[in-house]
Amino acid sequence: MKFFSTNNRTKKVSLKEAVLNGLASDNGLYMPEEIPQLPKEFITDLPNKSFQEIGFEVAKAFMGDDIPEERLKKIVEHTISFEAPLVEIEPTIFSLELFHGPTLAFKDFGARFMSQVLGYFAESQKQEIIILAATSGDTGSAVANGFLRVKGTKVVVLYPSGKVSEIQEKQFTTLGQNIIALEVKGTFDDCQRLVKEAFLNEELKQQFFLTSANSINIARLIPQTFYYFYAWSRLKNREEVVFSVPSGNFGNLTAGLIAKKMGLPIKHFIASTNANDIVPNYLETKKFEPRPSLSTVSNAMDVGNPSNFARMLDLYNHTFELLSNDITGFRFTDDETKSAMREVFKNSNYILDPHGAVGYLGLKKYLTDHPKSTGVFLETAHPAKFLEAVNETLGQSISVPEKLQVFLSKEKISIAVSKDFSEFKKLLERIL
Ligand SMILES: *Cc1c(COP(=O)(O)O)cnc(C)c1O
């Protein structure tokens, strides 16, 4: 299968190129030339298949021509080496817990899959591959941990100074080896811009083999479709299934739209955001108006210019009516988010993290008007990843899993850098 850029549908590249380039040279995002249709029997048989079997079949539909089956099977098994339980917290409201991976956030799925796919392509590549990753928190830890010790690769994580939690920061600043952390004096949008500029900079491209690992990389997106199929198949009532996706860059939601287009009968999607409500605004006004991001309690979703929006438009042929038919947008304040965390803890004895809480709120609101639907919200991070916010909100100390404790006890090592591109470029030339 070939992949095109959202800025030019006629110029197609191989999977290897799409994965290694990350971003197309015209600044567009790669998309598969067609969304493969899975047979009806595959869908009806989903409840009898394991999560890994489902993941393999879905991955094969996109990558079967380019990666040998046995290797792809191994890549999927490595990616899905942990559970994604569907937990009923109220009648017709389910939490899809995507945080049981090594860094306790859903980004482990994309990062682990991508690191293995890249590792496969790196084998036929002489130059070391440099992965540039801008992070608002969880990408950095998932990518850094996914690539740790992968041969032929080096990871540079850019993160906004003071805008990620201590636990998040420790997960990518304490690894060493082939992982470098850059602490940027700016916002997440600044980090994202520096990465984008680096990819377009001829001098850097001459010296280094650069690639991205943000949700813009197609190898991050594809594995995120797996759990929509899996979650849908594990519900008892599959008549009118809706997914609420707490969103920032909209990679997770885009993956759900792709799953639907492949034939999974999802009835509707809810784009749930914090105050960074660019997409809910678009769904109300037909106007896409990016603006600087605002800081919120769900900081991994503080994105002012959601990059996957270009893919969403492409999936719906740039037709507002089609897109808005499948997606409803809601935004929630920090106060609403914290109240939801308290309510759900009190009524269901279930601890939401601030991101999952936004997803829960969106679902709850939608179900009020659609009582026949069954709802799943994606719980994208373990609550202990946002320890201070959760403890403060619930008024008690929740327990921290062993996996996180280990990171906390290690020493942070990072390099400070301004948000100025020329300074960033000089630094790269010095340290790589
Ligand atoms: C990244 C992230 C999100 C947002 O996901 P997108 O695919 O960027 O929309 C939501 N919750 C958590 C915990 C995250 O780390």
Side-chain angles (χ1 to χ4, degrees), residues 115-116 118-119 122 128-133 140-158 171-182 213 413 415 428 431-432:
S115 67
Q116 298 301 307
L118 240 152
E128 182 180 51
I129 296 176
I130 312 291
I131 295 106
L132 292 182
S141 48
V143 168
N145 284 274
F147 277 97
L148 187 63
R149 287 188 287 266
V150 172
K151 281 207 188 77
T153 71
K154 195 176 268 170
V155 177
V156 180
V157 177
L158 288 82
Q171 284 180 298
F172 50 79
T173 57
T174 59
L175 296 166
Q177 307 202 48
N178 59 333
I179 314 296
I180 300 166
L182 300 187
I413 299 171
I415 305 172
L428 285 184
I431 60 174
L432 290 177

Side-chain angles (χ1 to χ4, degrees), residues 104-107 136-139 168 215 220 224 245-254 300-301 303 308 353 355-356 378-382 385-386:
L104 305 186
F106 84 91
K107 291 190 174 76
S136 55
D138 284 339
T139 300
Q168 287 179 322
S215 51
R220 290 259 325 260
Q224 290 176 227
V245 187
S247 296
N249 258 322
F250 282 80
N252 230 352
L253 188 96
T254 300
M301 310 190 326
V303 181
N308 282 288
D353 98 292
H355 305 78
L378 307 194
E379 179 41 289
T380 46
H382 190 288
K385 282 203 94 162
F386 301 92

